[in-house]
Amino acid sequence: MAKQGQTNQDRETTGLEGKGLEGLTAAASHAAESSPAGGRGLPPVHLWNPPFCGDLDMRIGSDGTWFYMGTPIGRPALVRLFSTILKREGDKHFLVTPVEKVGIRVDDAPFLAVEMQKQDDERGRLLRFRTNVDDWVDCEKGHCLRFEAAADGGLTPYLHVRADLWAKVTRALYYDLVDMGEERMVDGQQMFGVESGGEFFAMADAKQVRDAL
């Protein structure tokens, strides 16, 4: 049912309250038209505060797979499209358009960092990460790495992509980060971590790392 004052055209172009992928796709496509550079950039979801319209049966698994009504979404272009209207508020994630907002479930992080490149600039080493939706993120101030304790006793790295949305770094790339790690004094404590973009991102206490090797 339409909200009071909402036109038929509004319902057709937003579509978040619909039950099918067609409506969701139309909604995301319509929202993408609000992005800079004629749709080639990301929609300004941080500026949108529409009313909440309920939860949607959509989930992002811990491996980065998107599910709709329990079925994996097998079209990468569609996953990419939905990712552009993703927004986080507190501990919850939403798909948003300028006029509607629906909640979705995220098992861990909404993105996965699947590729890493090493470059050099005036700051020294720069690590660049590609996510599973083909965004490239420079690891630097504002796009930091953080490390959390994993269930197996190791560490799980996360990269800040944008607006409190994070990408979990794959285990293979984590080992690459460890290989290029070094020890530095941070706030009076010797820490083990990795440098990128002129910033040092601490992984763990240096002594704990040495003892584990």
Side-chain angles (χ1 to χ4, degrees), residues 38-213:
R40 291 188 294 273
L42 292 169
V45 295
H46 61 289
L47 301 177
W48 298 343
N49 292 290
F52 177 62
C53 299
D55 291 323
L56 188 69
D57 189 4
M58 184 174 283
R59 177 175 68 87
I60 305 176
S62 60
D63 64 351
T65 301
W66 287 58
F67 297 85
Y68 179 67
M69 299 185 71
T71 301
I73 301 175
R75 294 166 55 192
L78 196 54
V79 169
R80 163 69 186 176
L81 180 62
F82 291 151
S83 76
T84 65
I85 60 169
L86 187 63
K87 185 179 184 181
R88 179 173 177 175
E89 296 177 2
D91 293 330
K92 296 184 178 180
H93 293 80
F94 304 90
L95 298 182
V96 296
T97 73
V99 296
E100 294 180 88
K101 175 173 70 174
V102 293
I104 68 170
R105 290 175 292 156
V106 178
D107 289 352
D108 192 342
F111 303 121
L112 201 65
V114 297
E115 182 182 347
M116 180 175 65
Q117 293 181 351
K118 288 193 297 181
Q119 298 182 357
D120 292 312
D121 63 12
E122 66 278 2
R123 299 168 296 182
R125 177 201 294 144
L126 175 66
L127 301 177
R128 304 190 72 231
F129 291 86
R130 181 176 64 84
T131 72
N132 60 316
V133 294
D134 285 330
D135 285 322
W136 280 97
V137 182
D138 292 349
C139 179
E140 58 190 355
K141 186 176 181 179
H143 295 283
C144 65
L145 280 169
R146 62 177 172 88
F147 298 82
E148 293 190 359
D152 61 3
L155 295 171
T156 300
Y158 294 87
L159 174 71
H160 183 230
V161 177
R162 62 178 181 270
D164 207 21
L165 297 174
W166 294 78
K168 182 167 66 174
V169 179
T170 63
R171 179 60 60 177
L173 295 185
Y174 165 63
Y175 292 139
D176 290 340
L177 291 173
V178 171
D179 286 343
M180 67 180 70
E182 59 186 285
E183 294 186 17
R184 288 192 186 180
M185 190 69 68
V186 178
D187 296 329
Q189 184 176 0
Q190 196 74 10
M191 302 294 293
F192 182 84
V194 63
E195 180 185 4
S196 177
E199 300 289 323
F200 182 73
F201 303 103
M203 296 185 192
D205 177 85
K207 184 178 185 303
Q208 293 178 343
V209 174
R210 288 195 298 270
D211 291 344
L213 296 177

